[in-house]
Amino acid sequence: MTTAFFSHDDCLKHTMGAEHPESPQRLAAIVSYLADTELEQTLDWIKPEEITRDQLLAVHPERYLHQLDLMQPTRGRVFTDPDTAMMPDTLRAARLAAGANVQAVDMVMSGQITNAFICARPPGHHAERTKSMGFCFYNNVALAAARALNFHHLERIAVIDFDVHQGNGTVDAFQGDDRVLMCSSFQHPFYPHSHVHRQAENIVNTPITAGTSAKDYRKIVEAQWLHKLQDFKPQLVLVSAGFDAHRLDPLAELNLEAEDYRWLTDMLTSVAHDSANDRLISTLEGGYHLKALAESVTAHLEGLSAIR
Ligand SMILES: [Zn+2]
């Protein structure tokens, strides 16, 4: 069983300002926490390459990509929405984060690795086909799904999004596409306030009230997701892994802890084991309390590499 860990130093060069929660310190905190664990030796550390233009076009139209290219400044910052800023290193980092997702799909499909965690930024799940928002430019998990569908010709892919914010961008990309089953839990009512009431059969929205206990969260998610996932029999499991539903996260009001992320991971690896030959790719989305993030990612990685 090989778990790959994708990371690239250039993903730390994208910075949206000293006070911005989606900071390079997030990746640094994860890597430095891992350095003190046994996991560091067992993971297969991989430096990704940039996604190609053609691969981006599988989700985002050329006019949107061109618009981002034109907006990226040569110095300073420009805001694409009130929360989301571009600076000279932004699109390089975004191409690496997206590229890691595509590369991970190719590597699990060829059997080189069993599963993977992509420790990169900017995140992706709020990026719609033609709209950057919520710290996101390219939809990393959607690009992974597109690679698996279009290039590897898979017929059933599950996307699980346990970030505290709904993955509106991923819903935008795949609603009504019954090759994809998306299960998304999120605090509600809450940002991004869109795509929650859309009723596509392949989207399982699981709104969670602020203040819900971890125990109740587990019950709700298991009841709404597990049978659906088992019946769907995905050939690949993709995870939008945001860790901002953690009790300590400054941006939200749910109550998960590292052990709950381990529980979620075990549920998802069991689904991958049953129908996907263990193929699972998890990509970092949110998570803004640095220590909670590092502990939660480590618990997630322990689950992926089945080290107790
Ligand atoms: Zn989030």
Side-chain angles (χ1 to χ4, degrees):
M1 184 124 185
T2 313
T3 296
F5 184 90
F6 285 83
S7 69
H8 198 298
D9 286 348
D10 287 358
C11 288
L12 281 79
K13 291 184 181 167
H14 160 63
T15 59
M16 295 189 283
E19 303 299 315
H20 201 292
E22 205 291 279
S23 70
Q25 285 74 37
R26 299 175 62 234
L27 301 188
I30 293 167
V31 170
S32 88
Y33 190 90
L34 272 178
D36 293 331
T37 69
E38 283 174 38
L39 266 174
E40 198 199 20
Q41 306 296 322
T42 65
L43 297 171
D44 188 359
W45 291 67
I46 298 174
K47 207 170 169 178
E49 289 175 11
E50 290 189 14
I51 195 167
T52 66
R53 193 74 162 190
D54 274 352
Q55 289 164 354
L56 283 172
L57 286 167
V59 171
H60 302 289
E62 175 57 33
R63 68 189 152 84
Y64 170 71
L65 298 175
H66 187 59
Q67 187 186 26
L68 287 182
D69 293 342
L70 291 178
M71 283 181 83
Q72 178 168 262
T74 50
R75 59 195 173 88
R77 284 190 189 93
V78 295
F79 282 81
T80 63
D81 82 4
D83 308 318
T84 313
M86 295 178 91
M87 38 83 70
D89 298 302
T90 297
L91 290 181
R92 158 91 175 142
R95 284 192 297 267
L96 288 167
N101 272 268
V102 168
Q103 205 177 331
V105 170
D106 291 350
M107 290 180 77
V108 297
M109 292 311 299
S110 70
Q112 282 173 273
I113 55 175
T114 312
N115 57 29
F117 180 71
I118 291 145
C119 187
R121 53 184 287 282
H125 73 153
H126 293 307
E128 300 186 359
R129 283 167 298 172
T130 61
K131 191 168 153 194
S132 64
M133 61 182 272
F135 321 158
C136 303
F137 302 92
Y138 305 140
N139 191 317
N140 300 321
V141 78
L143 288 159
R147 179 71 171 180
L149 294 168
N150 302 339
F151 186 80
H152 295 283
H153 304 293
L154 294 191
E155 292 167 347
R156 293 179 312 283
I157 296 172
V159 178
I160 292 86
D161 188 327
F162 57 67
D163 189 278
V164 81
H165 305 97
Q166 196 219 24
N168 60 293
T170 315
V171 176
D172 180 60
F174 291 114
Q175 60 186 335
D177 183 339
D178 54 18
R179 298 172 301 172
V180 176
L181 174 66
M182 180 178 177
C183 298
S184 180
S185 64
F186 48 89
Q187 183 173 322
H188 180 70
F190 208 40
Y191 184 89
H193 305 289
S194 62
H195 290 85
V196 172
H197 301 294
R198 304 247 180 127
Q199 299 291 335
E201 267 186 30
N202 68 316
I203 308 292
V204 181
N205 275 326
T206 304
I208 309 275
T209 310
T212 297
S213 70
K215 193 173 154 218
D216 287 344
Y217 173 90
R218 289 191 190 197
K219 272 193 215 159
I220 294 166
V221 157
E222 187 171 328
Q224 294 196 12
W225 295 358
L226 190 55
H227 284 296
K228 282 215 172 71
L229 288 167
Q230 287 168 339
D231 292 348
F232 185 67
K233 297 187 172 49
Q235 297 160 300
L236 173 67
V237 175
L238 300 177
V239 183
S240 266
F243 298 90
D244 42 8
H246 194 285
R247 184 175 57 83
L248 297 176
D249 197 275
L251 265 56
E253 292 101 31
L254 293 190
N255 289 303
L256 302 193
E257 305 216 30
E259 64 193 40
D260 300 301
Y261 290 108
R262 175 61 197 264
W263 174 84
L264 269 167
T265 309
D266 288 347
M267 178 171 76
L268 301 178
T269 55
S270 83
V271 170
H273 184 73
D274 288 348
S275 63
N277 201 18
D278 291 315
R279 291 185 292 258
L280 183 153
I281 295 161
S282 173
T283 192
L284 181 65
E285 303 286 1
Y288 304 100
H289 183 286
L290 296 181
K291 184 157 182 284
L293 172 66
E295 284 175 3
S296 301
V297 168
T298 301
H300 183 51
L301 284 165
E302 282 169 356
L304 293 183
S305 49
I307 294 169
R308 280 171 198 281

